[in-house]
Amino acid sequence: GAVVSQHPSRVICKSGTSVKIECRSLDFQATTMFWYRQFPKQSLMLMATSNEGSKATYEQGVEKDKFLINHASLTLSTLTVTSAHPEDSSFYICSASNRVNMNTEAFFGQGTRLTVV
Amino acid sequence: LAKTTQPISMDSYEGQEVNITCSHNNIATNDYITWYQQFPSQGPRFIIQGYKTKVTNEVASLFIPADRKSSTLSLPRVSLSDTAVYYCLVGLSLDSSYKLIFGSGTRLLVRP
């Protein structure tokens, strides 16, 4: 399957700082990217959907000013956690899709473990 | 978007066949059914996708009845390395609300 690379895989930051997570589709053009957050023993929670060249669509309860998403090209989307706090510590996962038809699958990055101290 | 319901957990033994059923009563005409596998601290991995009847690949089979209100993922002869969480997703539609929503998933434990 296609490859989606997420970087960094693990990051520790101080409270109040910002952290940027990159998601790259390495061998296909991703028209749509999804960002998820996952807490221990829980399912993936969709945070936002971004389409290349347009503003991201955030799910209810997700602060768009805190979780900045940029999808400037067909191979790169970034999630910036601004003014991070310990409660933002979580596992963040991106997914990319090239929805050429209705049975297009989505490919996931390996995830980023964010720890805010 | 169709909501999915799966068993929270399942236990099995090495070498057995495991069947995980997912209910999606409100599936739309255009929705496909996709299953993903997730290991701890990793992103989900695609297993199989189908629309109706039966689909088989090198790792699993997917059975979908005619009414498409449920689907069953079948893992033949599981091994310890199949211990993971399995998610059933529906809703890969092409409209503006295209998104992937995960349900609770099924935590499969394979014992020796």
Side-chain angles (χ1 to χ4, degrees):
Chain A
V3 179
V4 173
S5 177
Q6 200 172 327
H7 178 81
S9 59
R10 187 180 298 268
V11 59
I12 301 173
C13 72
K14 291 184 177 180
S15 186
T17 62
S18 296
V19 174
K20 180 184 285 189
I21 302 170
E22 292 187 347
C23 181
R24 294 180 183 273
S25 57
L26 299 184
D27 52 3
F28 72 104
Q29 294 184 325
T31 53
T32 305
M33 285 190 173
F34 306 93
W35 286 95
Y36 296 86
R37 180 167 52 183
Q38 186 175 34
F39 294 106
K41 302 292 186 184
Q42 294 187 24
S43 182
L44 286 78
M45 185 189 77
L46 180 65
M47 299 175 68
T49 303
S50 72
N51 294 298
E52 186 266 339
S54 62
K55 290 185 177 180
T57 302
Y58 289 80
E59 295 298 303
Q60 191 173 7
V62 178
E63 300 175 57
K64 60 180 66 177
D65 294 330
K66 182 170 183 60
F67 299 99
L68 301 178
I69 292 172
N70 184 280
H71 191 170
S73 77
L74 285 171
T75 59
L76 175 64
S77 176
T78 60
L79 167 67
T80 301
V81 183
T82 62
S83 186
H85 288 95
E87 57 266 30
D88 297 325
S89 298
S90 187
F91 191 55
Y92 292 86
I93 307 169
C94 72
S95 173
S97 172
N98 176 12
R99 47 181 181 129
V100 295
N101 54 50
M102 285 192 285
N103 65 345
T104 302
E105 65 184 89
F107 301 94
F108 288 81
Q110 66 270 42
T112 298
R113 175 75 58 192
L114 171 64
T115 304
V116 185
V117 297
Chain B
L1 292 173
K3 180 179 178 180
T4 61
T5 303
Q6 303 174 233
I8 296 295
S9 64
M10 294 182 69
D11 279 19
S12 182
Y13 290 92
E14 278 191 294
Q16 289 187 331
E17 178 185 80
V18 172
N19 297 308
I20 307 174
T21 296
C22 177
S23 296
H24 27 80
N25 292 319
N26 298 320
I27 189 169
T29 303
N30 293 336
D31 288 343
Y32 276 69
I33 300 157
T34 312
W35 286 79
Y36 286 86
Q37 175 192 56
Q38 187 185 27
F39 297 111
S41 297
Q42 294 186 26
R45 186 174 71 99
F46 173 87
I47 300 174
I48 197 166
Q49 183 182 70
Y51 184 79
K52 61 180 178 180
T53 63
K54 177 184 175 182
V55 179
T56 298
N57 61 21
E58 62 276 8
V59 297
S61 294
L62 179 60
F63 299 92
I64 305 169
D67 65 5
R68 301 197 334 114
K69 293 183 183 297
S70 67
S71 59
T72 299
L73 173 71
S74 181
L75 305 172
R77 297 180 299 281
V78 293
S79 62
L80 296 178
S81 62
D82 292 318
T83 293
V85 180
Y86 293 83
Y87 294 98
C88 157
L89 279 75
V90 299
L92 293 178
S93 56
L94 282 178
D95 62 20
S96 61
S97 64
Y98 169 65
K99 59 177 71 174
L100 295 178
I101 304 293
F102 282 78
S104 59
T106 297
R107 193 172 297 274
L108 173 65
L109 174 62
V110 180
R111 302 177 186 273

